[in-house]
Amino acid sequence: MAMGVGVALAFTSNSLTFPRYSSPIPNKIHFLRQIVCKAELQVQTRVWNWRGYSIRYQHSGNNGPALLLVHGFGANSDHWRNNISVLAQSHRVYSIDLIGYGYSDKPNPRQIRDPSFYTFETWASQLNEFCLDVIKDQPFFICNSIGGVVGLQAAVLAPHICRGILLLNISLRMLHIKKQPWYGRPFIRSFQRLLRDTAVGKFFYKAVATKESVRNILCQCYHDTSKVTDELVQIILSPGLEPGAAEVFLEFICYSGGPLPEELLPQVKCPVLIAWGDKDPWEPIELGRNYENFDSVEDFIVLPNVGHCPQDEAPHLVNSLVESFVARHAKSSSSTSHC
């Protein structure tokens, strides 16, 4: 039973989508003030063919530095709906659905027979090739939760592409195999096989992929539950009901390997800014503060009274933070290698 709860926590803590802190604030931590947003611009939805797969992305804005917005596990580019058109006032904004999520293709991992397909390396390669094929520029990565690990991995794999990374409540990956006691690892692997290889996994997914479950999970990770609207629930749920979504979901919650943020941050050469909602129940801010000690991290920003998904719960804070971060680093020529 405890392990079942652990898998549910993997679903939540490894992503936006799903399932206190008062301590002295270090010198590198600041609080943000609310700033009034500008008028919004039209957002276009497009499809990019990547390695034979259809990838959905959104785009807005024709001038300024390029931004690539990267969602968390279980989410999609619509989770940035309160950011894209506002940031497009002075940036070229792109928001992408990682393969397996949103309205991008969801190839069945069993049919692919590639154990390394749904991994951070795959998603990182997708980001980098999207930058080369579609953006055709060196963008800034703006990432939430698991998307932050994807962004860091992309910057490590192709250091010449990314100009800077803003991490919003990056996943700590607390259920990573390296963070589990040695005596529990065999049981974890057995339970993962049970989910992935038997009907138990499909039953578990059906229980999660309902309006009621999605709403309850979102109300846990959003501090301001008034932001958990019917629209948001539908944004998260609808792609999860598409063919292949259950297989991708089960594949990822059984993925306890791959890189950790603390392993990637020392390898990143471009500037990194970390922002953290201080009411995140899944990724505790006191643990996240440890990341500010890496040389690549220029600052750690506390977002007061905000949960796990700051870009949607407090877009006014995140949008202004993105604008100031990009403005500081966009003066360098795009022809210069930044990462």
Side-chain angles (χ1 to χ4, degrees), residues 9-19 70-81 143-148 168-171 214 217-222 228 232-233 235-237 252 280-283 307-313:
L9 289 177
F11 178 46
T12 56
S13 66
N14 283 342
S15 78
L16 133 103
T17 61
F18 309 90
V70 188
H71 63 80
F73 170 61
N76 58 80
S77 61
D78 289 333
H79 206 214
W80 300 93
R81 67 197 188 287
C143 313
N144 176 229
S145 191
I146 278 296
L168 301 168
N169 291 58
I170 185 173
S171 172
V214 170
I217 291 167
L218 289 168
C219 283
Q220 292 177 26
C221 64
Y222 277 59
V228 181
L232 175 61
V233 171
I235 282 173
I236 300 302
L237 178 61
F252 187 79
D280 187 340
W282 303 121
E283 312 292 350
H308 184 61
C309 312
Q311 77 278 13
D312 190 53
E313 186 176 346

Side-chain angles (χ1 to χ4, degrees), residues 9-316:
L9 289 177
F11 178 46
T12 56
S13 66
N14 283 342
S15 78
L16 133 103
T17 61
F18 309 90
R20 44 200 162 203
Y21 316 106
S22 57
S23 59
I25 300 175
N27 292 332
K28 293 178 74 175
I29 301 180
H30 311 288
F31 285 90
L32 294 179
R33 294 177 296 178
Q34 180 172 349
I35 294 180
V36 177
C37 296
K38 300 177 181 179
E40 296 184 353
L41 294 178
Q42 183 179 5
V43 179
Q44 298 179 337
T45 298
R46 301 174 179 174
V47 174
W48 169 53
N49 186 294
W50 178 62
R51 303 183 182 182
Y53 299 111
S54 294
I55 303 298
R56 194 270 292 249
Y57 72 96
Q58 300 183 58
H59 168 65
S60 186
N62 299 311
N63 300 294
L67 311 178
L68 179 53
L69 314 183
V70 188
H71 63 80
F73 170 61
N76 58 80
S77 61
D78 289 333
H79 206 214
W80 300 93
R81 67 197 188 287
N82 294 318
N83 314 100
I84 299 174
S85 58
V86 176
L87 293 172
Q89 293 284 345
S90 52
H91 306 83
R92 289 170 292 134
V93 185
Y94 299 83
S95 179
I96 191 169
D97 287 359
L98 297 175
I99 190 165
Y101 297 104
Y103 296 97
S104 289
D105 280 349
K106 301 170 182 63
N108 190 314
R110 296 308 181 90
Q111 295 176 353
I112 298 174
R113 296 181 180 178
D114 180 359
S116 64
F117 188 79
Y118 286 111
T119 64
F120 292 108
E121 289 78 8
T122 297
W123 290 312
S125 296
Q126 179 188 347
L127 290 193
N128 286 332
E129 292 178 38
F130 181 79
C131 294
L132 296 174
D133 294 349
V134 179
I135 300 179
K136 301 183 186 301
D137 198 356
Q138 297 169 302
F140 291 86
F141 293 164
I142 316 299
C143 313
N144 176 229
S145 191
I146 278 296
V149 184
V150 176
L152 290 177
Q153 180 69 77
V156 169
L157 289 180
H160 60 287
I161 290 178
C162 175
R163 301 185 70 181
I165 306 175
L166 197 163
L167 302 173
L168 301 168
N169 291 58
I170 185 173
S171 172
L172 299 165
R173 303 207 68 203
M174 296 302 295
L175 295 177
H176 193 284
I177 196 68
K178 293 181 181 179
K179 295 187 176 182
Q180 304 306 311
W182 65 268
Y183 52 81
R185 294 178 184 180
F187 180 72
I188 292 173
R189 292 191 181 96
S190 296
F191 192 80
Q192 288 174 333
R193 285 193 294 268
L194 178 68
L195 283 177
R196 190 167 44 197
D197 300 338
T198 72
V200 172
K202 291 293 182 67
F203 178 80
F204 174 65
Y205 185 77
K206 286 182 179 179
V208 171
T210 67
K211 288 183 179 180
E212 294 76 14
S213 293
V214 170
R215 183 180 297 277
N216 290 337
I217 291 167
L218 289 168
C219 283
Q220 292 177 26
C221 64
Y222 277 59
H223 180 65
D224 181 359
T225 57
S226 69
K227 298 297 180 70
V228 181
T229 62
D230 291 341
E231 178 192 29
L232 175 61
V233 171
Q234 206 60 43
I235 282 173
I236 300 302
L237 178 61
S238 292
L241 299 177
E242 291 197 335
E247 288 76 13
V248 176
F249 168 83
L250 294 171
E251 187 74 11
F252 187 79
I253 66 173
C254 294
Y255 174 42
S256 56
L260 293 165
E262 53 265 37
E263 296 171 339
L264 295 172
L265 279 167
Q267 303 178 61
V268 175
K269 305 304 179 183
C270 62
V272 176
L273 178 65
I274 299 178
W276 216 283
D278 67 351
K279 303 301 183 185
D280 187 340
W282 303 121
E283 312 292 350
I285 191 171
E286 57 263 31
L287 297 179
R289 281 173 173 152
N290 294 327
Y291 292 154
E292 70 163 336
N293 297 318
F294 290 97
D295 291 340
S296 58
V297 178
E298 66 175 30
D299 214 342
F300 188 105
I301 308 293
V302 172
L303 304 175
N305 298 313
V306 178
H308 184 61
C309 312
Q311 77 278 13
D312 190 53
E313 186 176 346
H316 57 284

Side-chain angles (χ1 to χ4, degrees), residues 140 164-166 271-273 298 321-329:
F140 291 86
I165 306 175
L166 197 163
V272 176
L273 178 65
E298 66 175 30
L321 184 59
V322 171
E323 290 172 350
S324 61
F325 174 66
V326 172
R328 286 198 302 273
H329 298 287

